[in-house]
Amino acid sequence: MNDSPGWATPGSSPSDGDRQGTPAGRPATDGGAQQPDQPTGDPKWSAEQPPPGQWSSPGATPPVDTPPPAAQPAAGWGQQPGTSYGGQYSYPGGPGQWGTAAAKPGVIPLRPLGLGEILDGSVATMRTHWRSVVPITLVVATVIQVISVLVQKFMLSDLPLSSTEDMTAEEAIDSLGSTLAVSVVNQFIQVLGTIVVTAMLTMIFSRAILGQHSSVSDAWRDARPQLLRLAGLTLLLALGIILLGAVLVLPGALAGSVGLAVVGFVAWLPLIIWLGIKFSLASPALMLEKSTVIKAFARSSKLVGGSWWRIFGITVLTSLIAFMVALMVVAPFQMIGLFAFGGGLDSLEDGSAQSAWGPLIFSGIGLIIAQTIIMPIQSGVTVLLYVDQRIRREGLDLELARAAGIENYGTTGG
């Protein structure tokens, strides 16, 4: 395994005619031109590559004189088994199936993935490699929540407990300012923790795909060189969202026109969703390809192109699952903290619950448990979506098979 864990770093974008990871004789699903014959310098490559539309699993021999199957696209979101997809490859059993038997050295089979396989791969990695995954997420989640509890306790404890109707204008401004300050600090700490978790879990998932174990120290060593770039990528994306909001919403707010501000917000919301999905694969591209921030954005844009709705659907579903898990875990702790140690509903009415130790500590415990479960799933889905798109477009399954030590994978000779 090299710097990029068994994965070839793309030298140029797939559409530029220098597609790395797409072997000779295997077309890319986005319509790219075929490459010349694979160089024979690498002993792991067979001199013969499978023709378009005939993709043999490891150890299998393709039938003789069998016409290629009907062409089907890689991103068959919402299609039914047996229907036509209109792309380059055939999925005999429906979306996400690559022949009758695909090699599976790790947590996923080496073929285009279905929704269930992506979610299952995330959970399987967390379950199989829990000795590496759980310590990372648990430590980061604990640090985040400890800082968050302390910030809320000492920044909100001096606020007036009177209702908003009884507040003076000065008290209302102080309360709003303190609340915003707490929110900004919490979000900043959350982002820093998420960057560290994302970087390290990406490396663990990349090895889990190959069936290889990665310790916490291995993940940190692999992720550390790219941490600053990942922080820059996250910051640049956040600044872009904020600037778009300033351009679209702020003029109406400054002019005192509620209608204009609403129109700007309505335009801003779908735009940031579109950009968020378009650049959702930038993080794994940055970490696994050892690329720069700008190149990572460009790679994500190319990989997501043509599959935006599919990736959007999987991302939304993953977010809903994460929300439901967090709700089921955190809610009981919040109820215990509020009614057993926080004064019950009366503390909610007078505002004392937001700075009482009982509710804050129990809520923090619930969030630590929830984040320890949720962060690996969300990170895993993002990494597996990136791998899935590269398998569909660039033949990454061959590179992964070679890195996993599977000889003669995808050759006609079995």
Side-chain angles (χ1 to χ4, degrees):
M1 177 169 288
N2 53 27
D3 281 344
S4 183
W7 304 10
T9 303
S12 60
S13 60
S15 61
D16 294 335
D18 185 19
R19 182 181 301 281
Q20 187 167 357
T22 306
R26 177 174 176 179
T29 58
D30 57 358
Q34 292 186 5
Q35 301 294 314
D37 292 339
Q38 179 71 29
T40 58
D42 189 342
K44 292 186 179 181
W45 284 99
S46 170
E48 296 182 6
Q49 295 296 322
Q54 294 179 344
W55 199 253
S56 59
S57 59
T61 302
V64 180
D65 298 330
T66 301
Q72 301 173 359
W77 181 260
Q79 292 281 357
Q80 298 298 321
T83 60
S84 175
Y85 285 71
Q88 299 285 351
Y89 297 105
S90 173
Y91 302 146
Q97 298 195 19
W98 196 249
T100 56
K104 188 179 180 181
V107 294
I108 59 169
L110 301 184
R111 53 170 167 75
L113 303 174
L115 169 62
E117 291 169 328
I118 291 175
L119 294 173
D120 181 69
S122 299
V123 176
T125 301
M126 184 170 62
R127 183 177 63 248
T128 306
H129 302 274
W130 65 269
R131 289 181 178 87
S132 301
V133 173
V134 173
I136 294 172
T137 54
L138 180 60
V139 169
V140 173
T142 301
V143 171
I144 291 173
Q145 293 307 318
V146 167
I147 296 176
S148 177
V149 167
L150 294 177
V151 167
Q152 292 183 70
K153 173 61 180 178
F154 294 107
M155 293 186 66
L156 298 180
S157 59
D158 294 334
L159 294 182
L161 300 180
S162 56
S163 62
T164 55
E165 293 82 1
D166 299 331
M167 283 186 183
T168 65
E170 184 178 354
E171 288 176 339
I173 293 175
D174 289 342
S175 177
L176 179 60
S178 297
T179 303
L180 289 177
V182 169
S183 178
V184 169
V185 173
N186 285 340
Q187 288 300 317
F188 178 74
I189 299 301
Q190 182 75 40
V191 168
L192 289 181
T194 301
I195 289 172
V196 175
V197 169
T198 299
M200 297 181 69
L201 291 185
T202 297
M203 297 307 173
I204 292 176
F205 273 94
S206 69
R207 295 190 180 215
I209 291 170
L210 305 177
Q212 299 174 358
H213 174 74
S214 181
S215 65
V216 175
S217 59
D218 292 334
W220 173 250
R221 185 180 62 251
D222 292 338
R224 186 174 54 188
Q226 292 293 95
L227 272 177
L228 287 179
R229 287 182 175 179
L230 182 59
L233 183 148
T234 304
L235 178 62
L236 190 59
L237 187 59
L239 286 177
I241 293 174
I242 293 173
L243 289 176
L244 280 175
V247 170
L248 295 175
V249 181
L250 194 58
L254 294 177
S257 174
V258 177
L260 185 60
V262 170
V263 170
F265 179 80
V266 169
W268 178 56
L269 185 60
L271 186 58
I272 62 174
I273 293 175
W274 178 75
L275 289 174
I277 299 300
K278 183 179 181 67
F279 298 130
S280 61
L281 305 184
S283 173
L286 178 82
M287 299 301 300
L288 298 176
E289 299 178 13
K290 310 298 182 183
S291 65
T292 63
V293 173
I294 301 303
K295 288 182 179 179
F297 280 126
R299 284 287 288 157
S300 178
S301 178
K302 288 182 178 295
L303 291 173
V304 173
S307 302
W308 191 95
W309 283 107
R310 177 176 180 271
I311 295 175
F312 171 77
I314 294 175
T315 302
V316 170
L317 180 60
T318 304
S319 299
L320 289 176
I321 293 174
F323 174 77
M324 295 302 298
V325 171
L327 185 64
M328 290 187 293
V329 172
V330 176
F333 284 92
Q334 288 181 329
M335 299 294 288
I336 293 174
L338 178 64
F339 289 98
F341 304 97
L345 296 179
D346 292 337
S347 63
L348 289 178
E349 294 179 1
D350 60 25
S352 61
Q354 64 182 355
S355 59
W357 280 117
L360 287 176
I361 291 176
F362 275 86
S363 178
I365 293 173
L367 287 171
I368 289 173
I369 298 173
Q371 289 181 331
T372 301
I373 299 171
I374 291 170
M375 285 193 289
I377 295 176
Q378 292 180 315
S379 296
V381 168
T382 301
V383 173
L384 295 182
L385 276 173
Y386 163 82
V387 173
D388 177 54
Q389 287 302 107
R390 286 198 62 185
I391 288 176
R392 293 171 183 270
R393 294 174 177 267
E394 302 173 4
L396 182 65
D397 53 322
L398 293 187
E399 294 292 334
L400 295 174
R402 290 201 301 168
I406 302 175
E407 299 293 339
N408 300 321
Y409 178 82
T411 62
T412 56

